[in-house]
């Protein structure tokens, strides 16, 4: 997350009873009450984002409490150099790069990314910010906030045909941008000629009159393109299947409002409703990852996703430790389909 940029958070909706993610799916309830925003990590040099309440917090017996840790569509490109024969066959069959990671520079980043089998990554900035990746893994640039608008020149030079918009402009600790300012700066992103993802709001992406809603309407009225919607989501319900359903319902609501492809560029389980972040057990995080990615693969409008985050440094949601070994979530992530 180059130069101490940041992470994100979002809201989910209803849930249903827990099932093993690899078992036949159960019928999903569409009438369960919505939960409120969970929360997220922030980057070094960033203040923690404000927590909100949630309807059904998991019991203390099922979770671990951690002190606050800092951290600040489409169809692309080639397979990774380490692609397996199965992955190569998927690429030849016309499938698109799907699975990615949000990451910052750490030791063994190339080793970890190779193990992850991700085909794309981003760093919250317009360049790789010291992150090393295997050949063929796509780097997607971002213009983080108003102060980094000059990075459009770097972003334009990036090989990816995509560009991510401002990071959590609705939060004071992140991009912190009024809608009008974001709209005034948007032509600079358009000038890169890249396929543009919307600013990634922290909350309320499907809310009428919310930050994203006003931005999307403003962009349309000004005749400016927004090719896909970018979202973040963090769940405070640590039960795998209900959390995956809450995420699914939120994504569906956003897609219904804007009718555009969606990239989910940050997600994990983290409860920010009680001050300091509270994390699930490693087993719970891995179970959610499997349930959520299985769901994402079935939602046709979801074009890409990126887990938050690849490293475990500064985040208990990470996939790989500094020595390149996988957490339980990292092991689960590595087995998820790379292409869709």
């Amino acid at each position: 997350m180059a130069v101490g940029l940041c992470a994100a958070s979002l809201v989910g909706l209803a849930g249903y009873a827990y099932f093993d993610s690899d078992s036949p799916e159960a019928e999903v309830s569409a009438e369960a009450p919505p939960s409120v925003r969970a929360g997220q990590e922030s980057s070094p040099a960033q203040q923690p984002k404000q927590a909100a309440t949630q309807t059904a917090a998991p019991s203390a017996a099922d979770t671990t409490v951690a002190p606050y840790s800092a951290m600040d569509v489409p169809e692309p490109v080639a397979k990774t150099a380490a692609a397996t024969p199965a992955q190569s066959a998927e690429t030849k069959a016309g499938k698109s790069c799907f699975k990615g990671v949000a990451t910052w520079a750490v030791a063994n980043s190339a080793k970890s990314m190779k193990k992850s089998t991700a085909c794309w990554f981003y760093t919250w900035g317009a360049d790789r910010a010291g992150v090393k990746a295997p050949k063929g893994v796509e780097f997607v640039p971002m213009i983080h906030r108003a102060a980094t608008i000059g990075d459009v020149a770097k972003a334009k030079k990036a090989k990816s045909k995509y560009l991510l918009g401002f990071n959590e402009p609705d939060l004071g600790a992140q991009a912190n941008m009024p809608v009008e300012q974001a709209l005034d700066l948007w032509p600079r992103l358009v000038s890169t000629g890249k396929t543009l993802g919307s600013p990634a709001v922290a909350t309320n992406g499907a809310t009428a009159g919310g930050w994203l809603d006003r931005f999307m309407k403003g962009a349309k009225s000004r005749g400016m393109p927004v090719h896909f919607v970018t979202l973040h989501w963090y769940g405070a319900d640590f039960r795998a299947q209900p959390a995956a359903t809450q995420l699914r319902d939120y994504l569906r609501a956003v897609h219904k409002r804007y009718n555009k492809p969606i990239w989910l560029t940050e997600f994990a389980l983290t409860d920010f409703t009680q001050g300091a972040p509270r994390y699930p057990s490693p087993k719970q995080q891995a179970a959610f990852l499997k349930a959520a990615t299985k769901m994402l693969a079935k939602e046709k409008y979801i074009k890409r996703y990126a887990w938050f985050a690849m490293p475990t440094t500064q985040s208990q949601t990470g996939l790989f430790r500094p020595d390149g070994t996988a957490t339980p979530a990292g092991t689960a992530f590595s087995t998820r389909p790379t292409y869709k």
Side-chain angles (χ1 to χ4, degrees), residues 26-138:
E27 186 67 23
V28 175
S29 167
E31 298 180 358
S35 63
V36 187
R37 170 190 173 193
Q40 85 294 311
E41 297 289 316
S42 63
S43 68
Q46 293 293 341
Q47 296 299 315
K49 303 177 187 181
Q50 293 182 344
T53 60
Q54 183 215 331
T55 54
S59 67
D62 292 334
T63 63
T64 56
V65 179
Y68 178 74
S69 42
M71 241 216 51
D72 177 34
V73 191
E75 307 131 270
V77 209
K79 59 183 181 294
T80 69
T84 65
Q87 292 170 343
S88 299
E90 287 178 337
T91 305
K92 291 177 182 177
K95 293 189 176 183
S96 302
C97 177
F98 185 45
K99 180 175 71 172
V101 289
T103 189
W104 52 96
V106 288
N108 295 304
S109 62
K111 178 181 178 181
S112 296
M113 203 171 298
K114 181 177 180 180
K115 286 185 176 181
S116 79
T117 71
C119 55
W120 77 281
F121 73 100
Y122 77 103
T123 64
W124 295 273
D127 58 39
R128 293 171 176 253
V131 173
K132 296 180 180 179
K135 183 179 180 181
V137 178
E138 180 189 7

Side-chain angles (χ1 to χ4, degrees), residues 17-25 240-241 287 290-291 294:
Y18 175 83
F19 293 88
D20 183 272
S21 63
D22 291 325
S23 65
E25 288 194 336
Q241 202 62 62
K290 289 192 287 185
K294 184 176 181 179

Side-chain angles (χ1 to χ4, degrees), residues 1-8 40-44 49 71-72 101-105 121-129 131 139-145 148 151 164-168 174 200 232 234 265-267 306-311 315:
M1 110 219 95
V3 295
L5 298 183
C6 69
Q40 85 294 311
E41 297 289 316
S42 63
S43 68
K49 303 177 187 181
M71 241 216 51
D72 177 34
V101 289
T103 189
W104 52 96
F121 73 100
Y122 77 103
T123 64
W124 295 273
D127 58 39
R128 293 171 176 253
V131 173
F139 165 69
V140 177
M142 170 190 280
I143 302 301
H144 184 270
R145 60 193 187 280
T148 62
D151 287 345
L164 302 176
F166 309 117
N167 190 75
E168 298 184 348
Q174 303 304 325
H232 296 170
Y234 291 82
T265 54
E266 288 187 26
F267 74 111
W307 182 262
F308 180 84
M310 188 176 76
S315 170

Side-chain angles (χ1 to χ4, degrees), residues 295-338:
M295 173 275 294
L296 292 170
K298 293 182 178 181
E299 299 294 303
K300 294 183 179 180
Y301 57 89
I302 300 295
K303 300 302 179 181
R304 290 194 181 188
Y305 69 81
W307 182 262
F308 180 84
M310 188 176 76
T312 55
T313 57
Q314 305 175 349
S315 170
Q316 292 194 30
T317 65
L319 302 175
F320 294 92
R321 304 178 185 94
D323 64 358
T325 60
T327 65
T331 298
F333 186 87
S334 297
T335 66
R336 301 296 93 182
T338 301

